[in-house]
Amino acid sequence: MEQLSKIPTHVTIIMDGNGRWAKMRGMDRLEGHKAGVESVRACTEFAVEKNIKYLSLFAFSTENWGRPTEEVEGLWALMFKAIEMELKTLLKNNVRFLVLGNLSMLSEKLQQAIASTVEKTKECTGTTLIVMLNYSGKWDITQAAQRLLEERVQGPITEEDISSRLVTANIPEPDLMIRTSGEMRISNYMLWQTAYTEFYFADVLWPDFRKPEFAEALESFAKRDRRYGKV
Ligand code: IPE
Ligand code: IPE
Ligand code: MG
């Protein structure tokens, strides 16, 4: 496909709109999150097909703890199930799995499931799928600063000193950031890493964002002129 010739190296997605998707159907919010897992599957498959090297997905923000307990617990249960269930498909598709964020606050059981899937897919050389869990951009920059302090790094501090201590160290900064559900905000996501990222906002709710919608985002990206402050 000619229009997909400029494939981004790293696509990141703020998966938004699961609750509204469920509400529109008179369903419980958790049903929206379940339908959202199907979109994760479809988009991962699409990334593999298009040879996108990194696909990162914002799945739970540090602010999302403020939601009702049933929803928060339901989300963790859903993630546990998905991580266990998807291992086979990840291996079949040569997908390396990573989870980034403040993982110490997750249950022991979930942390173990994550570590196990990460370990079992570590030799995969195709797409890297990164799930951002209990993540926020301000938290990330703060923990990087804390590490600099603990390592007693002598000033002057460089940008490289900071970026190499973010949880995304070693991962190229996103070329394209997609947010679904029509909201046009960053919601404390990758603040540092998106300095020169192209943004794409889709009106569809996350459970309705599948391969054709992803393809449209890539087509938009391919037409962009990234100037990085130059002319
Ligand atoms: C995104 O959908 C999923 C998470 C934030 C975990 P939402 O749950 O935010 O859905 P809306 O925005 O309420 O519709
Ligand atoms: C952002 O969505 C977080 C995730 C997608 C995980 P939210 O639904 O939490 O963001 P706000 O509250 O609309 O800004
Ligand atoms: Mg939302």
Side-chain angles (χ1 to χ4, degrees), residues 143-166:
Q143 66 79 32
Q146 180 63 31
R147 283 168 65 183
L148 286 168
L149 194 71
E150 284 163 13
E151 291 167 30
R152 297 174 193 276
V153 171
Q154 297 297 310
I157 300 288
T158 65
E159 291 186 4
E160 175 56 24
D161 287 329
I162 296 173
S163 59
S164 63
R165 285 165 183 83
L166 297 173

Side-chain angles (χ1 to χ4, degrees), residues 13-17 20 29 58-61 63-64 67 132 179 183 185-187:
I13 308 181
I14 301 181
M15 309 183 288
D16 199 11
R20 277 164 282 169
R29 290 179 60 85
F58 198 12
F60 193 93
S61 77
E63 289 80 12
N64 289 148
R67 295 186 177 200
M132 307 301 286
R179 183 170 186 150
E183 307 295 356
R185 53 177 170 262
I186 193 111
S187 298

Side-chain angles (χ1 to χ4, degrees), residues 129-140:
L129 171 67
I130 307 161
V131 177
M132 307 301 286
L133 272 192
N134 194 22
Y135 178 84
S136 86
K138 288 188 180 179
W139 166 80
D140 198 3

Side-chain angles (χ1 to χ4, degrees), residues 65-118:
W65 289 108
R67 295 186 177 200
T69 316
E70 315 91 77
E71 181 171 351
V72 172
E73 283 175 0
L75 275 167
W76 294 131
L78 201 60
M79 289 187 208
F80 179 79
K81 207 171 126 197
I83 288 169
E84 300 252 290
M85 298 249 303
E86 295 307 311
L87 175 65
K88 252 197 204 150
T89 316
L90 295 173
L91 289 170
K92 191 186 92 203
N93 291 329
N94 195 22
V95 174
R96 181 168 69 124
F97 182 68
L98 290 180
V99 179
L100 302 176
N102 186 359
L103 305 187
S104 65
M105 281 170 74
L106 312 189
S107 75
E108 205 56 48
K109 190 178 119 176
L110 183 57
Q111 286 188 52
Q112 276 170 18
I114 291 168
S116 158
T117 299
V118 168

